[in-house]
């Protein structure tokens, strides 16, 4: 298990932006997928976006496509960022960073991988 630390959450108005970051202190995650899930109250956890550390391939959920962008720390493969623009109230959720060696895609779920503690994102006026 690799410790993952999330930052950047908070309260934002509809139409605003936030940038989430996830770092793995002391670890270089070569040949890994890192990404984000979110869970709103009363709903199941859903995949938002992921990125591979080796080839840079990405996945973005349809619900956030065109508004969210994922990127990684190319130099050391120790961090991943989620830029969230034009945010909507339905983006309100706890966002979780995750990492494991599996392939990035719509079906990626690191059941036995590493997870962050989660960070609250609230979109409200």
């Amino acid at each position: 298990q690799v410790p993952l630390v999330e930052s950047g959450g908070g309260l934002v108005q509809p139409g605003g932006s936030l940038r989430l970051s996830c770092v793995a202190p002391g670890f270089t995650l070569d040949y890994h997928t890192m990404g984000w899930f979110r869970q709103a109250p009363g709903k199941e956890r859903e995949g938002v976006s992921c990125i591979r550390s080796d080839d840079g391939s990405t996945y973005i959920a349809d619900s956030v496509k065109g508004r969210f962008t994922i990127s990684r720390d190319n130099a050391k493969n120790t961090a991943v960022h989620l830029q969230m623009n034009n945010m909507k109230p339905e983006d309100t959720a706890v966002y979780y960073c995750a990492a494991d060696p599996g392939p990035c895609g719509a079906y990626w779920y690191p059941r036995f991988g590493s997870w962050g503690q989660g960070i609250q994102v609230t979109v409200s006026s």
Side-chain angles (χ1 to χ4, degrees):
Q1 293 285 320
V2 174
L4 300 175
V5 180
E6 301 123 331
S7 62
L11 173 66
V12 64
Q13 293 185 343
S17 298
L18 283 176
R19 185 173 187 255
L20 301 182
S21 293
C22 173
V23 297
F27 290 85
T28 301
L29 298 179
D30 295 334
Y31 306 105
H32 270 68
T33 291
M34 293 184 73
W36 296 91
F37 292 78
R38 68 184 182 184
Q39 189 166 17
K43 295 188 177 181
E44 293 186 355
R45 190 170 297 187
E46 63 171 347
V48 176
S49 185
C50 59
I51 186 168
R52 280 290 300 181
S53 61
D54 46 353
D55 63 10
S57 58
T58 61
Y59 162 78
I60 297 282
D62 288 343
S63 58
V64 302
K65 196 167 292 182
R67 300 187 296 119
F68 291 12
T69 303
I70 193 167
S71 61
R72 70 177 194 263
D73 178 344
N74 288 339
K76 297 182 178 180
N77 286 328
T78 60
V80 65
H81 311 285
L82 186 69
Q83 179 66 43
M84 305 185 291
N85 297 328
N86 189 23
M87 296 187 72
K88 303 176 181 181
E90 52 263 43
D91 295 322
T92 296
V94 176
Y95 283 69
Y96 297 88
C97 178
D100 85 343
C104 171
Y107 299 103
W108 177 62
Y109 190 86
R111 189 175 304 276
F112 303 109
S114 300
W115 290 84
Q117 292 296 310
I119 191 166
Q120 179 68 46
V121 171
T122 303
V123 186
S124 175
S125 55

